[in-house]
Amino acid sequence: MAGLKERSVGIVMNGVTGRMGYRQHLVRSILAIREQGGVRLPDGTVVWPEPILVGRNEAKLAAIAKDHGLDNWTTDLDAALADPAAEIYFDAQVTSRRVEGVRKAVAAGKHIYTEKPVAEDVGTALELARLAASAGVKVGVVQDKLFLPGLLKLKRLVDGGFFGRVLSVRGEFGYWVFEGDWQEAQRPSWNYRSEDGGGIIIDMFCHWRYVLEDIFGPVRSVQALAATHVPERVDEGGRPYACTADDAAYGIFELDGGIVAQVNSSWATRVFRDELVEFQVDGTEGSAVAGLRRCRVQHRSVTPKPVWNPDLPATEDFRGQWQDVPDNAEFDNGFKAQWELFLRHVVADGEFPWDFLAGARGVQLAELGLRSAQEGRRIAVEPLRL
Ligand SMILES: NC(=O)c1ccc[n+]([C@@H]2O[C@H](COP(=O)([O-])OP(=O)(O)OC[C@H]3O[C@@H](n4cnc5c(N)ncnc54)[C@H](O)[C@@H]3O)[C@@H](O)[C@H]2O)c1
């Protein structure tokens, strides 16, 4: 590539043997960026990510490295962080291990990108944000749902004024997670133990905070009811364990402008939807239903007038009365798109609004959601500051 300057960036990738670390971050993001020839900056420089794989299991790391033609891996995080070529620390470990990894990375002067939640409680999340700010390192938290094609199209509708005044948002997220007895569970067992950082509120409310705020506006209050519908599951080793964490959460959020958002999150529901998450937005001028990829609308001018009559079978094809919003763009994998922005941010000072304070806001909503569920009351969400 004559005339192109290559700028290599070492990335310590911790937790790369896990579900997210391997599939979304290593394969679909960092390796995909290498396959496309790096990230091109406006001045022609090509940013070239060099992963340094870190994990606890030597055999698993060696196998991943071999499968993908990589040779830099270690089970020694301190040694990886001591490498001056490593500029970024990335963390996709189990949530309960994150804080220790991030602290070490700050002390080593690395820029930090991490999976959500940034910490298990808001006090610690804010402390990490302050630590990073005083060390002068750049930080980011994964907020992948914002890059989903369905939600990008929904945001486009909001920005274009399609809805008039938004009245309400109704989100439905979830699917059946097998108990692990007669069929293997498709999620790790720590997700169902609160002592190990599990629970659907800490997992999903972090996402709902930035989805609601980036698309509609600030969240002013939360009211949640949490449940552990499945009390016992079977772990990766075939041993039964008690589920101590919530596996479903029924949340109501008040947003600025009187918008009411209701979001159900559940690992104990069977899907009768078109996608694993869907949001219906109703506004004075029109409504939309957005999922991971699709977004459909119904404008007020074409809204039919249903009449309630249970004595007759439904004759209308209600779903057929909606129109697809066209892509009008190519959508990349959301994790990869956000990685590219973070790499630009580190190398060339590009914008990156999803910092540790943004991550802390997600943790705050989860913490207040849990408290609301425990105390059985609605709780105000106060603005967070560093
Ligand atoms: N952005 C998203 O949509 C999304 C989705 C799922 C999970 N996550 C987040 O990603 C992180 C990892 O989740 P996952 O589903 O990949 O989990 P996982 O169990 O598949 O992977 C966990 C990783 O952490 C490592 N680890 C370190 N200490 C561990 C310990 N004591 N016990 C078990 N594993 C340990 C494992 O080796 C593994 O690499 C979590 O913080 C989770 O909140 C994000």
Side-chain angles (χ1 to χ4, degrees), residues 15-21 56 92-95 97-98 115-117 142 144-145 187-188 190 203 207 335:
V16 88
T17 55
R19 238 166 32 111
M20 300 308 293
R56 300 171 303 163
Q93 295 188 96
V94 282
T95 307
R97 306 271 313 148
R98 179 144 313 125
E115 258 297 350
K116 44 55 61 178
V142 173
D144 53 289
K145 307 291 178 271
R187 296 184 63 90
W190 66 265
D203 193 334
H207 291 296
F335 291 89

Coordinates of all heavy atoms in Angstrom, one line a residue, residues 15-21 56 92-95 97-98 115-117 142 144-145 187-188 190 203 207 335, ligand 1:
G15 N -10.4 -11.6 28.5 CA -11.7 -12.3 28.5 C -12.1 -12.7 27.1 O -13.3 -12.8 26.7
V16 N -11.1 -12.9 26.3 CA -11.3 -13.2 24.8 C -11.8 -14.7 24.6 O -12.2 -15.0 23.5 CB -10.0 -12.9 24.1 CG1 -9.1 -14.0 24.0 CG2 -10.3 -12.3 22.7
T17 N -11.8 -15.5 25.7 CA -12.3 -16.8 25.5 C -13.8 -16.8 25.8 O -14.5 -17.9 25.5 CB -11.7 -17.8 26.5 OG1 -11.8 -17.2 27.8 CG2 -10.2 -18.0 26.2
G18 N -14.4 -15.7 26.3 CA -15.8 -15.7 26.6 C -16.7 -15.5 25.3 O -16.2 -15.2 24.2
R19 N -18.0 -15.6 25.5 CA -19.0 -15.4 24.5 C -18.8 -14.1 23.7 O -18.6 -14.0 22.5 CB -20.3 -15.4 25.1 CG -21.3 -16.4 24.7 CD -22.5 -16.4 25.6 NE -22.9 -15.2 26.3 CZ -24.0 -14.5 26.0 NH1 -24.8 -14.9 25.1 NH2 -24.2 -13.4 26.6
M20 N -18.8 -13.0 24.5 CA -18.7 -11.7 23.8 C -17.3 -11.4 23.3 O -17.1 -10.9 22.3 CB -19.2 -10.6 24.8 CG -20.6 -10.7 25.3 SD -21.8 -10.9 24.0 CE -21.6 -9.3 23.2
G21 N -16.3 -11.7 24.2 CA -14.9 -11.4 23.9 C -14.5 -12.0 22.6 O -13.9 -11.4 21.8
R56 N -7.6 -16.8 31.2 CA -7.1 -17.7 32.3 C -6.7 -19.0 31.9 O -6.0 -19.7 32.5 CB -8.2 -17.8 33.4 CG -8.7 -16.5 34.0 CD -10.0 -16.8 34.8 NE -11.0 -17.4 34.0 CZ -12.1 -18.0 34.5 NH1 -12.2 -18.1 35.8 NH2 -13.0 -18.6 33.7
A92 N -13.6 -7.8 28.5 CA -14.9 -8.5 28.3 C -15.0 -9.7 29.2 O -15.6 -10.8 28.9 CB -15.0 -9.0 26.8
Q93 N -14.3 -9.6 30.4 CA -14.4 -10.6 31.4 C -15.8 -10.6 32.0 O -16.6 -9.7 31.8 CB -13.4 -10.3 32.5 CG -12.0 -10.3 32.2 CD -11.2 -10.2 33.4 OE1 -10.7 -11.2 34.0 NE2 -11.0 -9.0 33.9
V94 N -16.0 -11.6 32.9 CA -17.3 -11.6 33.7 C -17.3 -10.2 34.4 O -16.2 -9.7 34.8 CB -17.3 -12.7 34.7 CG1 -17.7 -14.0 34.1 CG2 -16.1 -12.9 35.5
T95 N -18.5 -9.7 34.6 CA -18.6 -8.3 35.2 C -17.8 -8.2 36.5 O -17.2 -7.2 36.7 CB -20.1 -8.0 35.3 OG1 -20.7 -8.3 34.1 CG2 -20.3 -6.6 35.8
R97 N -15.1 -9.2 37.5 CA -13.7 -9.2 37.4 C -13.2 -7.8 36.8 O -12.0 -7.6 36.7 CB -13.1 -10.3 36.5 CG -13.6 -11.7 37.0 CD -12.6 -12.3 37.9 NE -11.2 -12.1 37.5 CZ -10.2 -11.9 38.3 NH1 -10.3 -11.9 39.6 NH2 -9.0 -11.8 37.7
R98 N -14.2 -7.0 36.3 CA -13.9 -5.9 35.5 C -13.1 -4.8 36.2 O -12.1 -4.3 35.7 CB -15.2 -5.3 34.9 CG -14.9 -4.0 34.1 CD -15.9 -4.0 32.9 NE -15.9 -5.2 32.2 CZ -17.1 -5.9 32.0 NH1 -18.2 -5.4 32.4 NH2 -17.0 -7.1 31.4
E115 N -16.6 -3.8 28.0 CA -17.9 -4.2 27.9 C -18.7 -3.5 29.0 O -18.2 -3.0 30.0 CB -18.0 -5.7 28.1 CG -18.2 -6.5 26.8 CD -19.6 -6.1 26.1 OE1 -20.4 -5.4 26.7 OE2 -19.7 -6.5 24.9
K116 N -20.0 -3.5 28.9 CA -20.9 -3.0 30.0 C -21.2 -4.2 30.9 O -21.2 -5.3 30.4 CB -22.1 -2.3 29.4 CG -22.9 -3.0 28.3 CD -23.4 -4.4 28.4 CE -24.3 -4.7 29.5 NZ -24.7 -6.1 29.5
P117 N -21.7 -4.0 32.1 CA -21.6 -2.8 32.9 C -20.2 -2.5 33.3 O -19.4 -3.4 33.5 CB -22.5 -3.1 34.1 CG -22.5 -4.6 34.2 CD -22.3 -5.1 32.8
V142 N -18.9 -0.2 25.8 CA -19.7 -0.7 24.7 C -21.1 -0.3 24.9 O -21.7 -0.5 25.9 CB -19.6 -2.3 24.7 CG1 -20.5 -2.9 23.7 CG2 -18.1 -2.7 24.4
D144 N -23.6 -1.1 22.2 CA -23.8 -1.6 20.9 C -25.2 -1.5 20.3 O -25.3 -1.4 19.1 CB -23.4 -3.1 20.9 CG -24.1 -3.9 22.0 OD1 -23.8 -3.6 23.2 OD2 -25.1 -4.6 21.7
K145 N -26.2 -1.4 21.2 CA -27.6 -1.4 20.7 C -27.8 -0.1 19.8 O -28.7 -0.2 19.0 CB -28.6 -1.5 21.8 CG -28.4 -2.7 22.7 CD -28.7 -4.0 22.1 CE -28.4 -5.2 23.0 NZ -27.0 -5.7 23.0
R187 N -26.7 -19.4 27.8 CA -26.0 -18.3 28.4 C -25.3 -18.9 29.6 O -25.6 -19.9 30.2 CB -27.0 -17.2 29.0 CG -27.8 -16.5 27.9 CD -28.7 -15.4 28.5 NE -27.9 -14.4 29.2 CZ -27.5 -13.3 28.5 NH1 -27.8 -13.1 27.3 NH2 -26.8 -12.4 29.2
P188 N -24.2 -18.2 30.0 CA -23.4 -18.7 31.1 C -24.1 -18.7 32.5 O -25.0 -17.8 32.7 CB -22.1 -17.8 31.1 CG -22.5 -16.6 30.3 CD -23.6 -17.0 29.4
W190 N -23.2 -17.9 35.4 CA -23.0 -16.7 36.3 C -24.1 -15.7 36.2 O -24.4 -14.9 37.1 CB -21.6 -16.1 36.2 CG -21.2 -15.5 34.9 CD1 -20.6 -16.0 33.9 CD2 -21.5 -14.1 34.5 NE1 -20.5 -15.1 32.8 CE2 -21.0 -13.9 33.2 CE3 -22.1 -13.0 35.2 CZ2 -21.1 -12.7 32.5 CZ3 -22.2 -11.8 34.5 CH2 -21.7 -11.7 33.2
D203 N -27.7 -6.5 33.8 CA -27.3 -6.7 32.4 C -28.0 -5.8 31.4 O -27.4 -5.1 30.6 CB -27.7 -8.2 32.0 CG -27.0 -8.6 30.7 OD1 -26.8 -7.8 29.9 OD2 -26.8 -9.8 30.6
H207 N -28.3 -1.1 29.0 CA -28.6 -0.9 27.6 C -29.8 0.1 27.5 O -29.8 1.0 26.7 CB -28.9 -2.2 26.9 CG -27.8 -3.1 26.7 ND1 -26.7 -2.8 26.0 CD2 -27.6 -4.4 27.2 CE1 -25.9 -3.9 26.0 NE2 -26.4 -4.8 26.7
F335 N -20.8 -3.7 17.0 CA -19.6 -3.8 17.9 C -18.4 -3.3 17.1 O -17.6 -2.5 17.6 CB -19.4 -5.2 18.3 CG -20.4 -5.7 19.3 CD1 -21.6 -6.3 18.9 CD2 -20.2 -5.5 20.7 CE1 -22.5 -6.8 19.8 CE2 -21.2 -6.0 21.6 CZ -22.3 -6.6 21.1
Ligands
LIG1 N1 -22.9 -5.7 24.9 C1 -23.7 -6.8 25.0 O1 -24.7 -6.9 24.4 C2 -23.3 -7.9 26.0 C3 -24.0 -9.1 25.9 C4 -23.6 -10.1 26.8 C5 -22.7 -9.9 27.8 N2 -22.1 -8.7 27.8 C6 -21.1 -8.4 28.9 O2 -19.9 -9.0 28.5 C7 -19.2 -9.6 29.6 C8 -18.9 -11.0 29.4 O3 -20.1 -11.7 29.2 P1 -20.1 -13.1 28.4 O4 -21.6 -13.4 28.2 O5 -19.2 -13.1 27.3 O6 -19.6 -14.1 29.6 P2 -18.7 -15.5 29.4 O7 -19.0 -16.2 30.7 O8 -19.0 -16.2 28.1 O9 -17.2 -15.0 29.4 C9 -16.6 -14.5 30.5 C10 -15.1 -14.3 30.3 O10 -14.5 -13.9 31.5 C11 -13.5 -14.8 31.9 N3 -13.5 -14.9 33.4 C12 -12.6 -14.3 34.2 N4 -12.8 -14.6 35.5 C13 -13.9 -15.4 35.5 C14 -14.6 -16.1 36.5 N5 -14.2 -16.0 37.8 N6 -15.6 -16.9 36.1 C15 -16.0 -17.1 34.8 N7 -15.3 -16.4 33.8 C16 -14.3 -15.6 34.1 C17 -13.8 -16.0 31.2 O11 -12.6 -16.8 31.0 C18 -14.4 -15.5 29.9 O12 -13.3 -15.2 29.0 C19 -20.1 -9.3 30.8 O13 -19.6 -8.2 31.6 C20 -21.4 -9.0 30.2 O14 -22.2 -8.0 31.0 C21 -22.4 -7.7 27.0

